[in-house]
Amino acid sequence: MNKAVSVYLVGALTTLSIGLSVKSAVAQNTASSTTTQMASASQSAQSPSINLELKSSARASLQALLGKMKQFRAGFEQTVVDAQQNVVHEAQGTLTMTRPNKLRWETTFPDETLLVADGEAVWNVDTFVEQVTVLSQDNAVKDNPIVLLTATDEATWAKFSISELKSASLSEGAGSKGVLRSYQITPKEEGGQIVTLTLTFNQNNDLSALNMLDAQQQVSTLVFNDIDTRFPVAADTFSVEIPDSYIVDDQR
């Protein structure tokens, strides 16, 4: 598995890159320069309040969507590109999550790997070198917006700013359309490994893609298929059985 993915806790789950930006409104010219200055001052005074309301609305909307996603299982195709748009990693596999705080990431291509977050620790199993690396889950997801996929507590959500991006229409069949909704999540504290995470939901309000920009300007894109949000969760889904021959590197 790409090392960055392991360290960021499956951190490279991500959608088709959506380069949307929020543009500020430009005040119209008026006959009086005094009126223009007053309007400008008024706009500046109101902007912080408007921005806070938009962010609060986006956060509530995202929480509602994720709150309905008590569990999630899907196949994925992942592509990681560098700052020069060169493909540096590709993978295929399956992702399984339940709320709160449990996740299982398995790759079948190019190698068979397993990463499990059981709520307390992250277990990264490398079958090629027969080694298991164990990390504290709290440390592994610190300041990583991916944690919001399974976190339910307000203290964790308060660490991130959330904006809803412009919705995009998706044509389906004979003229019918669906709507993709995307949310950009940014850590409030700078200096972390993840700069932004974008979550995209399809017309059925299912998580359909993820896009992550990291501090090295790598973009990891994950697109999901065969999405299932109602399935029996096996008792051993979020546990790891380690063969006696494996080396265990416990970094908790």
Side-chain angles (χ1 to χ4, degrees):
M1 182 191 300
N2 182 301
K3 202 63 178 175
V5 179
S6 322
V7 174
Y8 307 154
L9 177 57
V10 181
L13 310 178
T14 44
T15 147
L16 295 172
S17 185
I18 303 176
L20 300 175
S21 60
V22 179
K23 297 181 179 179
S24 58
V26 179
Q28 297 180 348
N29 292 329
T30 63
S32 167
S33 60
T34 301
T35 303
T36 302
Q37 291 174 357
M38 291 176 63
S40 177
S42 175
Q43 184 182 22
S44 298
Q46 294 178 16
S47 293
S49 176
I50 294 173
N51 288 338
L52 285 174
E53 289 178 5
L54 288 173
K55 290 181 178 179
S56 177
S57 175
R59 171 175 164 171
S61 177
L62 179 59
Q63 284 181 317
L65 285 170
L66 291 176
K68 296 177 182 178
M69 194 178 76
K70 302 299 183 183
Q71 56 195 56
F72 178 91
R73 181 173 62 198
F76 66 81
E77 293 187 3
Q78 180 195 20
T79 304
V80 182
V81 299
D82 62 19
Q84 290 73 43
Q85 300 301 301
N86 298 312
V87 176
V88 296
H89 181 68
E90 291 181 299
Q92 296 176 0
T94 303
L95 174 67
T96 305
M97 296 183 292
T98 64
R99 292 164 64 89
N101 305 323
K102 292 186 178 182
L103 180 152
R104 181 184 183 94
W105 162 283
E106 296 177 83
T107 63
T108 55
F109 171 85
D111 303 301
E112 292 186 3
T113 60
L114 171 65
L115 186 142
V116 172
D118 63 11
E120 296 182 357
V122 178
W123 305 76
N124 186 13
V125 182
D126 190 329
T127 56
F128 182 74
V129 297
E130 296 190 348
Q131 179 173 313
V132 179
T133 302
V134 190
L135 305 172
S136 162
Q137 188 162 326
D138 286 341
N139 292 336
V141 299
K142 183 180 180 181
D143 300 325
N144 186 339
I146 202 74
V147 70
L148 297 189
L149 288 177
T150 56
T152 56
D153 62 288
E154 287 299 311
T156 299
W157 278 80
K159 296 179 180 179
F160 304 94
S161 296
I162 299 168
S163 301
E164 184 169 0
L165 304 180
K166 184 178 179 181
S167 299
S169 296
L170 178 67
S171 295
E172 294 182 284
S176 61
K177 291 184 177 180
V179 176
L180 298 178
R181 301 179 65 181
S182 295
Y183 298 82
Q184 188 174 80
I185 306 169
T186 306
K188 292 181 179 179
E189 185 175 334
E190 297 181 356
Q193 288 292 338
I194 307 305
V195 178
T196 61
L197 171 69
T198 303
L199 305 180
T200 296
F201 295 82
N202 63 20
Q203 64 275 18
N204 297 320
N205 291 329
D206 292 328
L207 181 64
S208 59
L210 295 164
N211 176 282
M212 183 177 68
L213 172 66
D214 69 21
Q216 288 72 44
Q217 297 303 298
Q218 288 191 139
V219 176
S220 176
T221 297
L222 233 108
V223 179
F224 297 116
N225 56 72
D226 298 327
I227 299 169
D228 188 358
T229 57
R230 296 183 179 181
F231 56 92
V233 181
D236 61 350
T237 300
F238 304 106
S239 62
V240 177
E241 185 174 342
I242 305 173
D244 293 338
S245 60
Y246 278 38
I247 298 173
V248 177
D249 179 14
D250 195 336
Q251 300 181 19
R252 286 174 290 183

mmCIF file of all heavy atoms in Angstrom, residues 16-17 22 47 63 87 90 98 111 114 119 154 156 159 169 178 200 212 216 220 231 235:
data_model
loop_
_atom_site.group_PDB
_atom_site.id
_atom_site.type_symbol
_atom_site.label_atom_id
_atom_site.label_comp_id
_atom_site.label_asym_id
_atom_site.label_seq_id
_atom_site.Cartn_x
_atom_site.Cartn_y
_atom_site.Cartn_z
ATOM 1 N N LEU A 16 -13.133 12.632 -7.375
ATOM 2 C CA LEU A 16 -12.647 13.351 -8.531
ATOM 3 C C LEU A 16 -12.438 14.791 -8.106
ATOM 4 O O LEU A 16 -13.294 15.382 -7.487
ATOM 5 C CB LEU A 16 -13.688 13.307 -9.657
ATOM 6 C CG LEU A 16 -13.968 11.928 -10.220
ATOM 7 C CD1 LEU A 16 -15.146 12.003 -11.177
ATOM 8 C CD2 LEU A 16 -12.757 11.379 -10.935
ATOM 9 N N SER A 17 -11.300 15.346 -8.450
ATOM 10 C CA SER A 17 -10.963 16.688 -8.004
ATOM 11 C C SER A 17 -11.954 17.703 -8.530
ATOM 12 O O SER A 17 -12.193 17.781 -9.717
ATOM 13 C CB SER A 17 -9.568 17.050 -8.502
ATOM 14 O OG SER A 17 -9.173 18.287 -8.008
ATOM 15 N N VAL A 22 -15.151 29.755 -3.975
ATOM 16 C CA VAL A 22 -16.228 30.683 -3.670
ATOM 17 C C VAL A 22 -15.760 32.083 -4.005
ATOM 18 O O VAL A 22 -14.759 32.536 -3.460
ATOM 19 C CB VAL A 22 -16.612 30.605 -2.178
ATOM 20 C CG1 VAL A 22 -17.712 31.599 -1.864
ATOM 21 C CG2 VAL A 22 -17.024 29.196 -1.825
ATOM 22 N N SER A 47 -20.155 40.360 6.058
ATOM 23 C CA SER A 47 -19.544 39.157 5.497
ATOM 24 C C SER A 47 -19.211 38.099 6.524
ATOM 25 O O SER A 47 -19.522 36.925 6.322
ATOM 26 C CB SER A 47 -18.299 39.533 4.686
ATOM 27 O OG SER A 47 -18.670 40.258 3.546
ATOM 28 N N GLN A 63 -23.390 16.713 8.470
ATOM 29 C CA GLN A 63 -23.640 15.844 9.619
ATOM 30 C C GLN A 63 -24.900 15.006 9.408
ATOM 31 O O GLN A 63 -24.949 13.830 9.789
ATOM 32 C CB GLN A 63 -23.770 16.677 10.895
ATOM 33 C CG GLN A 63 -22.439 17.189 11.431
ATOM 34 C CD GLN A 63 -22.607 17.994 12.701
ATOM 35 O OE1 GLN A 63 -23.516 18.818 12.808
ATOM 36 N NE2 GLN A 63 -21.721 17.791 13.663
ATOM 37 N N VAL A 87 0.852 10.210 -12.270
ATOM 38 C CA VAL A 87 0.242 9.167 -11.442
ATOM 39 C C VAL A 87 1.344 8.439 -10.675
ATOM 40 O O VAL A 87 2.257 7.870 -11.274
ATOM 41 C CB VAL A 87 -0.548 8.169 -12.297
ATOM 42 C CG1 VAL A 87 -1.095 7.033 -11.437
ATOM 43 C CG2 VAL A 87 -1.689 8.880 -13.029
ATOM 44 N N GLU A 90 -1.783 3.645 -7.863
ATOM 45 C CA GLU A 90 -3.149 3.236 -8.195
ATOM 46 C C GLU A 90 -3.488 2.001 -7.372
ATOM 47 O O GLU A 90 -2.619 1.167 -7.110
ATOM 48 C CB GLU A 90 -3.281 2.928 -9.687
ATOM 49 C CG GLU A 90 -3.167 4.144 -10.591
ATOM 50 C CD GLU A 90 -3.331 3.792 -12.059
ATOM 51 O OE1 GLU A 90 -2.509 2.996 -12.565
ATOM 52 O OE2 GLU A 90 -4.279 4.293 -12.686
ATOM 53 N N THR A 98 -18.172 1.586 9.895
ATOM 54 C CA THR A 98 -19.350 1.744 10.739
ATOM 55 C C THR A 98 -19.068 2.889 11.705
ATOM 56 O O THR A 98 -17.910 3.144 12.066
ATOM 57 C CB THR A 98 -19.684 0.468 11.550
ATOM 58 O OG1 THR A 98 -18.624 0.185 12.471
ATOM 59 C CG2 THR A 98 -19.898 -0.723 10.641
ATOM 60 N N ASP A 111 -1.348 -4.868 -4.702
ATOM 61 C CA ASP A 111 -0.962 -5.871 -3.707
ATOM 62 C C ASP A 111 -2.133 -6.115 -2.774
ATOM 63 O O ASP A 111 -3.046 -5.293 -2.654
ATOM 64 C CB ASP A 111 0.249 -5.386 -2.885
ATOM 65 C CG ASP A 111 1.451 -5.053 -3.741
ATOM 66 O OD1 ASP A 111 1.921 -5.950 -4.462
ATOM 67 O OD2 ASP A 111 1.908 -3.897 -3.703
ATOM 68 N N LEU A 114 -4.088 -4.951 4.153
ATOM 69 C CA LEU A 114 -5.217 -4.785 5.051
ATOM 70 C C LEU A 114 -4.889 -3.719 6.086
ATOM 71 O O LEU A 114 -3.809 -3.716 6.670
ATOM 72 C CB LEU A 114 -5.529 -6.107 5.762
ATOM 73 C CG LEU A 114 -6.569 -6.045 6.899
ATOM 74 C CD1 LEU A 114 -7.940 -5.659 6.354
ATOM 75 C CD2 LEU A 114 -6.632 -7.389 7.627
ATOM 76 N N GLY A 119 -11.294 1.450 16.516
ATOM 77 C CA GLY A 119 -11.816 2.400 17.491
ATOM 78 C C GLY A 119 -10.774 2.867 18.472
ATOM 79 O O GLY A 119 -10.892 3.947 19.053
ATOM 80 N N GLU A 154 -18.887 16.245 19.051
ATOM 81 C CA GLU A 154 -18.780 17.649 18.657
ATOM 82 C C GLU A 154 -17.352 18.169 18.761
ATOM 83 O O GLU A 154 -16.942 19.037 17.986
ATOM 84 C CB GLU A 154 -19.703 18.500 19.537
ATOM 85 C CG GLU A 154 -21.176 18.332 19.211
ATOM 86 C CD GLU A 154 -21.496 18.737 17.768
ATOM 87 O OE1 GLU A 154 -21.073 19.830 17.352
ATOM 88 O OE2 GLU A 154 -22.160 17.952 17.078
ATOM 89 N N THR A 156 -14.584 16.724 18.015
ATOM 90 C CA THR A 156 -13.855 16.400 16.781
ATOM 91 C C THR A 156 -14.325 17.273 15.629
ATOM 92 O O THR A 156 -13.520 17.832 14.884
ATOM 93 C CB THR A 156 -14.047 14.918 16.420
ATOM 94 O OG1 THR A 156 -13.528 14.104 17.487
ATOM 95 C CG2 THR A 156 -13.311 14.571 15.132
ATOM 96 N N LYS A 159 -12.970 20.899 15.104
ATOM 97 C CA LYS A 159 -11.595 21.111 14.646
ATOM 98 C C LYS A 159 -11.514 21.450 13.155
ATOM 99 O O LYS A 159 -10.431 21.743 12.643
ATOM 100 C CB LYS A 159 -10.753 19.856 14.912
ATOM 101 C CG LYS A 159 -10.577 19.512 16.386
ATOM 102 C CD LYS A 159 -9.761 18.237 16.542
ATOM 103 C CE LYS A 159 -9.581 17.866 18.004
ATOM 104 N NZ LYS A 159 -8.797 16.597 18.147
ATOM 105 N N SER A 169 -24.964 18.733 -11.663
ATOM 106 C CA SER A 169 -26.012 17.840 -12.159
ATOM 107 C C SER A 169 -25.389 16.634 -12.846
ATOM 108 O O SER A 169 -24.340 16.728 -13.465
ATOM 109 C CB SER A 169 -26.929 18.573 -13.145
ATOM 110 O OG SER A 169 -27.617 19.609 -12.489
ATOM 111 N N GLY A 178 -29.732 13.663 -11.799
ATOM 112 C CA GLY A 178 -29.497 13.584 -10.379
ATOM 113 C C GLY A 178 -28.570 14.719 -10.003
ATOM 114 O O GLY A 178 -28.043 15.419 -10.855
ATOM 115 N N THR A 200 -18.058 13.736 -1.781
ATOM 116 C CA THR A 200 -19.118 13.900 -2.768
ATOM 117 C C THR A 200 -20.186 12.824 -2.573
ATOM 118 O O THR A 200 -19.862 11.640 -2.415
ATOM 119 C CB THR A 200 -18.555 13.828 -4.197
ATOM 120 O OG1 THR A 200 -17.665 14.929 -4.402
ATOM 121 C CG2 THR A 200 -19.667 13.899 -5.231
ATOM 122 N N MET A 212 -8.619 14.049 -1.705
ATOM 123 C CA MET A 212 -7.773 14.598 -0.651
ATOM 124 C C MET A 212 -6.514 15.235 -1.215
ATOM 125 O O MET A 212 -5.811 14.618 -2.012
ATOM 126 C CB MET A 212 -7.378 13.504 0.340
ATOM 127 C CG MET A 212 -6.546 14.013 1.510
ATOM 128 S SD MET A 212 -6.183 12.690 2.688
ATOM 129 C CE MET A 212 -5.098 11.675 1.688
ATOM 130 N N GLN A 216 2.121 17.566 0.600
ATOM 131 C CA GLN A 216 3.100 17.414 -0.481
ATOM 132 C C GLN A 216 2.482 17.716 -1.847
ATOM 133 O O GLN A 216 3.092 17.471 -2.879
ATOM 134 C CB GLN A 216 3.684 15.993 -0.487
ATOM 135 C CG GLN A 216 4.633 15.699 0.665
ATOM 136 C CD GLN A 216 3.903 15.564 1.995
ATOM 137 O OE1 GLN A 216 2.863 14.913 2.086
ATOM 138 N NE2 GLN A 216 4.441 16.184 3.039
ATOM 139 N N SER A 220 -5.181 12.529 -3.912
ATOM 140 C CA SER A 220 -5.630 11.146 -3.931
ATOM 141 C C SER A 220 -7.125 11.123 -4.219
ATOM 142 O O SER A 220 -7.908 11.792 -3.552
ATOM 143 C CB SER A 220 -5.340 10.470 -2.596
ATOM 144 O OG SER A 220 -5.852 9.160 -2.594
ATOM 145 N N PHE A 231 -26.184 -3.867 5.571
ATOM 146 C CA PHE A 231 -25.641 -5.210 5.455
ATOM 147 C C PHE A 231 -25.289 -5.724 6.852
ATOM 148 O O PHE A 231 -25.012 -4.936 7.768
ATOM 149 C CB PHE A 231 -24.383 -5.209 4.571
ATOM 150 C CG PHE A 231 -23.297 -4.265 5.033
ATOM 151 C CD1 PHE A 231 -22.290 -4.702 5.896
ATOM 152 C CD2 PHE A 231 -23.288 -2.938 4.611
ATOM 153 C CE1 PHE A 231 -21.300 -3.835 6.320
ATOM 154 C CE2 PHE A 231 -22.298 -2.064 5.032
ATOM 155 C CZ PHE A 231 -21.305 -2.513 5.889
ATOM 156 N N ALA A 235 -18.775 -10.266 13.061
ATOM 157 C CA ALA A 235 -18.141 -9.941 14.340
ATOM 158 C C ALA A 235 -16.648 -9.649 14.194
ATOM 159 O O ALA A 235 -16.083 -8.870 14.962
ATOM 160 C CB ALA A 235 -18.361 -11.084 15.331
#
